[in-house]
Amino acid sequence: DQQVKQNSPSLSVQEGRISILNCDYTNSMFDYFLWYKKYPAEGPTFLISISSIKDKNEDGRFTVFLNKSAKHLSLHIVPSQPGDSAVYFCAASRGGADGLTFGKGTHLIIQP
Amino acid sequence: DTAVSQTPKYLVTQMGNDKSIKCEQNLGHDTMYWYKQDSKKFLKIMFSYNNKELIINETVPNRFSPKSPDKAHLNLHINSLELGDSAVYFCASSQMGQTYNEQFFGPGTRLTVL
């Protein structure tokens, strides 16, 4: 039973354009949603997050949007840069010492 | 000045052996975790410790036993290793009460059971 779903295993975007990564969840008890970036042979790196009481959070080139009624969130990267090529994981949490529930990841490839 | 470190990075061993993976964090966090990333790249929580006390123990075989000697360390002992234990194991830490429950991950330990 996958509670966090990333339905696109990969996404290819041209450098300078916008990258949009999508994530859906099923558990209404999640309070926090996070995006992580992962390079091969490294651990996931925290990127940006949003709480369930907000619908948008922005940090530089990265913006996360949350549509709670649709149980959907998205990560926008603009403009996309070659160094953004990585696997992006969507994760959700109920807070406290709760473990993160991860999606399967989306491999973002930025084309020059 | 690595925030979350794990040793070893690679571990190759025979079925039936007992092995340990060590994790240390220097972020001053009070909560630590172990995750398993299987061959399908799916990251799943195994354990969560807060102030040296076990908080979460997902459906993990009893052969896996976490041990937290202090708040900065969470080690993972695995007894009677099986082929299916081959995976990448990630340690993470966080501070309870932080706004978004962001967790910081170590570089991972790739365990291969032959």
Side-chain angles (χ1 to χ4, degrees), chain B residues 74-92:
Chain B
L74 181 63
N75 303 324
L76 184 65
H77 300 275
I78 316 170
N79 295 325
S80 304
L81 278 155
E82 300 177 357
L83 293 175
D85 298 332
S86 295
V88 182
Y89 292 85
F90 290 99
C91 175

Side-chain angles (χ1 to χ4, degrees), chain A residues 57-107:
Chain A
N57 189 25
E58 196 171 349
D59 184 1
R61 296 186 298 115
F62 303 93
T63 303
V64 56
F65 295 93
L66 175 63
N67 182 333
K68 207 173 165 185
S69 59
K71 293 191 175 71
H72 177 83
L73 62 152
S74 60
L75 174 68
H76 293 212
I77 307 173
V78 56
S80 300
Q81 298 174 353
D84 295 332
S85 294
V87 177
Y88 288 78
F89 287 97
C90 172
S93 166
R94 291 170 295 185
D98 192 33
L100 298 175
T101 301
F102 282 89
K104 286 191 172 180
T106 296
H107 186 193

Side-chain angles (χ1 to χ4, degrees), chain A:
Chain A
D1 174 31
Q2 236 183 298
Q3 297 184 63
V4 176
K5 295 178 186 177
Q6 293 176 257
N7 292 320
S8 299
S10 66
L11 175 67
S12 185
V13 174
Q14 245 185 333
E15 183 179 354
R17 308 293 282 261
I18 184 170
S19 295
I20 300 176
L21 295 98
N22 293 304
C23 177
D24 297 294
Y25 63 96
T26 57
N27 190 340
S28 302
M29 301 298 289
F30 289 137
D31 274 334
Y32 305 102
F33 303 90
L34 307 91
W35 285 95
Y36 281 82
K37 178 179 178 180
K38 187 181 181 305
Y39 294 118
E42 293 184 12
T45 303
F46 172 71
L47 205 53
I48 192 170
S49 56
I50 190 167
S51 78
S52 59
I53 61 172
K54 293 189 172 184
D55 55 18
K56 179 182 174 181
N57 189 25
E58 196 171 349
D59 184 1
R61 296 186 298 115
F62 303 93
T63 303
V64 56
F65 295 93
L66 175 63
N67 182 333
K68 207 173 165 185
S69 59
K71 293 191 175 71
H72 177 83
L73 62 152
S74 60
L75 174 68
H76 293 212
I77 307 173
V78 56
S80 300
Q81 298 174 353
D84 295 332
S85 294
V87 177
Y88 288 78
F89 287 97
C90 172
S93 166
R94 291 170 295 185
D98 192 33
L100 298 175
T101 301
F102 282 89
K104 286 191 172 180
T106 296
H107 186 193
L108 176 64
I109 302 158
I110 306 301
Q111 307 273 11

Side-chain angles (χ1 to χ4, degrees), chain B residues 31-42:
Chain B
T31 307
M32 295 184 72
Y33 312 80
W34 277 108
Y35 288 83
K36 178 181 179 181
Q37 186 178 37
D38 60 24
S39 55
K40 295 179 181 176
K41 309 296 184 189
F42 209 14

Side-chain angles (χ1 to χ4, degrees), chain B residues 50-75:
Chain B
N50 174 254
N51 283 319
K52 295 166 54 181
E53 283 193 34
L54 181 64
I55 303 296
I56 292 173
N57 181 356
E58 292 294 327
T59 47
V60 176
N62 290 339
R63 301 181 293 104
F64 290 78
S65 55
K67 286 184 171 52
S68 182
D70 55 57
K71 284 199 306 184
H73 295 85
L74 181 63
N75 303 324

